[in-house]
Amino acid sequence: MPRTLPINPRFRRIFQSLSGADLAAPDPAELSLEDLGLGDSQQIRGGLLFGTYSHQGLERGLRAYGLLQRAEERVGPMELRIQGEDPFRPRIVLWSRRFYAPVADISLRMATGAEVGLGGPLSTVPLLYVDALLLQNPGRSFDWHRPPLPGQSHPGLALSAPLLELLMLMARRIGAEGLALTPSTYAAATVYDRRFLFVDGEAQGRFLALRDAGDSRPRWLVAWAVELGCMRDAEGQHVPFTPMPMLAPFSPRLRDAFEMKEWLEGREKTGRRLLTLDEEALRQRFPWERMPPGPPPERFADLLGYDPLAPVLAH
């Protein structure tokens, strides 16, 4: 199987130390819908999330792994909100009490292999599917040390790696054989590719070809080049990023799917394409209005066509 990062050994030890009773602890009786800020949504009371987690138990788990504490160090006090009528399709929100905005917003559901493109015996494999995932620091603004990526409204929290590990461990605990998601942008795929592989081998190859075409340039710049249609093949044709399902497999049979001849040949077929970044197109299309104020780093000024005498764009 193509190499992906293993789960942090410390997290594995914490996972083993948390019992089902720890995670299924009942919610405090005095906690009302209004207290949780759920409006007309229903908090999940009649059933545990995925048959395993209560509100209190999920918060206990997040603190045991240190995720809540690390987020609070960045944005201050937070509260955990859970909404949704179906305990197998929850929406989990970490809400900043200081900034009145979500810090993390995650929508999950149970799925099967067929829903991500797996066939044959793997079509019925149980998966935990991430329908939506937002991580942001609403108290920070972008700067040229951390420019915005396509689709970002606020800088991230630098917590995507531990959060994905926790979701993988959650998937294992509820009996799923893998964690699946579909990145909406190339930038999102670069966050996931250390732990996830595209279910379709040709999609994996196309992603690798786009990444290689970045030629050691920073991730944010390559992400904008892909978003703005500035990647070209040998014939000069635009090469887009197409959202496709990705999977972090746990079970041997799912791992074996990424060793199959068809998957490997598909990756090889598209991955060896030589793509180039069209610098002239990038200069013409670069979204200065979305960028931080002031000049970009000197090493990028020429590439981006920065003109210090041009009128200042509104931000």
Side-chain angles (χ1 to χ4, degrees), residues 129-145:
Y129 191 90
V130 184
D131 265 324
L133 173 59
L134 170 70
L135 273 178
Q136 63 178 8
N137 186 337
R140 286 196 60 182
S141 301
F142 293 108
D143 56 38
W144 279 107
H145 295 291

Side-chain angles (χ1 to χ4, degrees), residues 6 71 78 90 118 125 167 177 180 229 269 279 295 307:
M78 291 191 305
L118 295 172
V125 167
L167 290 175
E177 295 188 31
K269 173 184 174 183
E279 296 181 359
D307 182 359

Side-chain angles (χ1 to χ4, degrees), residues 129-134 149-152 180-192 198 207 210 223 226-228 240-246:
Y129 191 90
V130 184
D131 265 324
L133 173 59
L134 170 70
L149 294 167
Q152 278 190 316
L181 46 75
T182 300
S184 59
T185 65
Y186 167 84
T190 63
V191 173
Y192 304 135
F198 284 92
F207 168 77
L210 286 169
V226 175
E227 182 76 9
L228 298 170
F241 172 80
T242 302
M244 297 282 282
M246 299 182 80

Side-chain angles (χ1 to χ4, degrees), residues 50 86 88-92 105-112 115-116 127-134 164 167 170 179-185 188 192 196 243 245-246:
F50 301 111
D86 185 345
F88 291 90
R89 298 180 70 96
R91 180 180 178 187
I92 301 167
D105 192 342
I106 309 162
S107 295
L108 302 169
R109 64 180 169 89
M110 293 301 296
T112 63
E115 295 177 67
V116 299
L127 303 173
L128 178 61
Y129 191 90
V130 184
D131 265 324
L133 173 59
L134 170 70
L164 288 172
L167 290 175
M170 174 185 277
L179 180 67
L181 46 75
T182 300
S184 59
T185 65
Y192 304 135
F196 292 75
M246 299 182 80

Side-chain angles (χ1 to χ4, degrees), residues 71-93:
E72 287 173 337
E73 289 171 0
R74 293 158 169 78
V75 300
M78 291 191 305
E79 63 182 90
L80 173 65
R81 299 178 175 184
I82 302 172
Q83 56 183 310
E85 297 182 357
D86 185 345
F88 291 90
R89 298 180 70 96
R91 180 180 178 187
I92 301 167
V93 179

Side-chain angles (χ1 to χ4, degrees), residues 7 11 15 65 165-173:
I7 292 177
F11 279 16
F15 174 82
Y65 289 105
E165 287 186 310
L166 294 191
L167 290 175
M168 291 169 69
L169 290 171
M170 174 185 277
R172 288 175 180 269
R173 191 176 292 276

Side-chain angles (χ1 to χ4, degrees), residues 171-250:
R172 288 175 180 269
R173 191 176 292 276
I174 66 177
E177 295 188 31
L179 180 67
L181 46 75
T182 300
S184 59
T185 65
Y186 167 84
T190 63
V191 173
Y192 304 135
D193 81 304
R194 292 183 297 173
R195 300 188 179 280
F196 292 75
L197 295 163
F198 284 92
V199 175
D200 180 80
E202 291 192 12
Q204 181 71 27
R206 285 192 295 270
F207 168 77
L208 295 176
L210 286 169
R211 191 183 65 183
D212 292 346
D215 192 27
S216 301
R217 295 183 175 97
R219 183 169 68 98
W220 65 267
L221 192 149
V222 179
W224 279 110
V226 175
E227 182 76 9
L228 298 170
C230 301
M231 290 298 189
R232 302 279 185 264
D233 62 17
E235 289 74 42
Q237 297 299 309
H238 164 223
V239 180
F241 172 80
T242 302
M244 297 282 282
M246 299 182 80
L247 178 64
F250 311 146

